Amino acid sequence: MIEVQHLHQTFGRGHRATVAVQDVSFSVAAGEVVGYLGPNGAGKSTTVKVLTGLLVPTSGRVTVGGVVPWRERRRHVARLGAVFGQRTTLWWDLPVRESLDLLRHVYRVPAGRFRENLAEFTALLDLGPFLDTPARALSLGQRMRADLAAALLHGPELLFLDEPTVGLDVVAKERIREFVRTINAERGVTVLLTTHDLGDVERLARRVMIIDGGRLLYDGALGELQTRYGGERELHAEYEHAPPSPEVPGLTLLSADGPRVRYGFSGAAALPIARVTAHAPVRDLTVREPDIEATVRRIYEGGLLRRTVGQAGAVPR
């Protein structure tokens, strides 16, 4: 669906030139949901603007569904949808229903398919209570749900999501995430997700790419990222009685409160259950995985991926 080879984007000229993206290559298969992560100014938005056809790259080869985005824009935009958390495609003073109907004409969606899609999205996103409300009167969560419906009414093959849950409460976030999961599973829509809310990534994407300083530093499974860079996992043991000593060889003792003891162990290591159960009679065991937000923060702040790429000369996979 997406093929990017040696993408390079520079703004300005001469000594004032700013390199936004440098030598980025990746591919996304049809039907994938991929998280595209990075701190502010990393190059995420520039990459998406190239993929949507808004920017012509300085150099490199980019195709989306076999089309060069900036050369065949009319054909290209007819096959994609985009939702940007800080912007809306709705007409501010029009009821949501009328905005959606205008978009039907813009994309030349047949009336029958429009009615079917609108009915399905109304049910999935609970649009009914505010379909006749002007966009200016919607809450943020309502507007985001309406924008998602607007982006998908014409049946695109590819959806770009930029901060789709920013500023939303927990209930609104989960409704949007469930909708994205549904259209990916049932319609095979490919999704490229850029976000700072790592809850979105955990619930939607199995694969993540991390960009920083314009360079792609990681492209692979979210679980592998956690294993490599997430730090220690935790094993919480509740013994039947407080053990004579909470220490277990090979494990880091994090805390001990009578029979309740917390241990740390390497993310790459096998679960050390046998060692703990052999230490003293156990009533309950719980494993806590490293927090994804803490993992990504460690990566950004510690430059872990930059060091890896510098040593290996390739993007970790």
Side-chain angles (χ1 to χ4, degrees):
M1 178 60 72
I2 299 174
E3 188 71 37
V4 177
Q5 295 180 4
H6 307 294
L7 175 63
H8 194 91
Q9 184 71 57
T10 303
F11 298 106
R13 297 181 178 180
H15 66 280
R16 294 186 177 181
T18 300
V19 178
V21 176
Q22 49 183 323
D23 199 28
V24 166
S25 297
F26 62 85
S27 62
V28 176
E32 274 196 283
V33 180
V34 181
Y36 195 40
L37 312 181
N40 291 330
K44 303 188 302 296
S45 295
T46 299
T47 307
V48 171
K49 286 177 180 177
V50 170
L51 293 174
T52 54
L54 293 174
L55 274 179
V56 178
T58 306
S59 63
R61 180 177 180 273
V62 176
T63 58
V64 179
V67 171
V68 178
W70 57 92
R71 290 181 185 159
E72 301 179 67
R73 286 198 65 193
R74 184 182 294 272
R75 180 184 171 198
H76 178 57
V77 298
R79 301 189 304 168
L80 65 85
V83 175
F84 298 97
Q86 302 300 326
R87 302 174 186 175
T88 183
T89 55
L90 306 172
W91 279 263
W92 202 237
D93 292 313
L94 291 182
V96 171
R97 189 189 305 275
E98 292 186 26
S99 284
L100 298 178
D101 191 57
L102 279 171
L103 288 168
R104 173 176 76 87
H105 292 285
V106 169
Y107 286 101
R108 297 186 175 92
V109 182
R113 188 170 67 163
F114 172 77
R115 286 193 297 271
E116 290 174 4
N117 285 343
L118 181 57
E120 180 181 355
F121 297 162
T122 296
L124 289 172
L125 292 166
D126 193 22
L127 304 180
F130 55 88
L131 271 177
D132 296 307
T133 304
R136 57 179 163 75
L138 300 178
S139 69
L140 179 59
Q142 289 171 334
R143 182 178 66 76
M144 287 304 302
R145 282 144 59 192
D147 270 318
L148 267 172
L152 289 157
L153 275 174
H154 59 292
E157 303 168 4
L158 173 63
L159 177 64
F160 291 99
L161 292 178
D162 181 44
E163 301 290 354
T165 63
V166 63
L168 303 186
D169 61 39
V170 173
V171 175
K173 285 182 180 182
E174 193 52 40
R175 183 180 291 276
I176 286 175
R177 290 165 181 163
E178 183 57 37
F179 176 74
V180 174
R181 281 194 292 262
T182 299
I183 60 103
N184 170 253
E186 296 184 0
R187 297 188 172 214
V189 176
T190 307
V191 181
L192 187 66
L193 169 68
T194 60
T195 182
H196 288 98
D197 188 330
L198 295 171
D200 292 345
V201 178
E202 284 188 295
R203 287 166 177 76
L204 296 174
R206 293 182 180 178
R207 173 187 169 196
V208 294
M209 298 186 291
I210 295 181
I211 187 172
D212 195 6
R215 299 175 62 204
L216 188 63
L217 302 181
Y218 179 84
D219 181 358
L222 180 62
E224 180 65 19
L225 185 75
Q226 285 280 68
T227 299
R228 290 191 187 187
Y229 304 104
E232 285 196 324
R233 301 158 77 187
E234 290 186 11
L235 181 62
H236 295 204
E238 182 178 352
Y239 294 102
E240 292 185 3
H241 307 283
S245 169
E247 299 276 357
V248 173
L251 302 183
T252 304
L253 177 62
L254 300 177
S255 68
D257 180 14
R260 297 179 180 86
V261 184
R262 292 169 52 237
Y263 301 102
F265 64 101
S266 169
L271 287 176
I273 292 175
R275 269 182 280 173
V276 174
T277 55
H279 181 65
V282 170
R283 181 174 296 163
D284 189 33
L285 288 172
T286 305
V287 177
R288 294 280 180 88
E289 298 295 337
D291 178 76
I292 181 64
E293 292 196 19
T295 299
V296 173
R297 187 167 59 248
R298 288 179 70 245
I299 289 169
Y300 291 165
E301 294 175 354
L304 303 180
L305 286 171
R306 286 182 175 275
R307 291 202 297 270
T308 303
V309 171
Q311 292 165 3
V315 177
R317 292 181 181 273

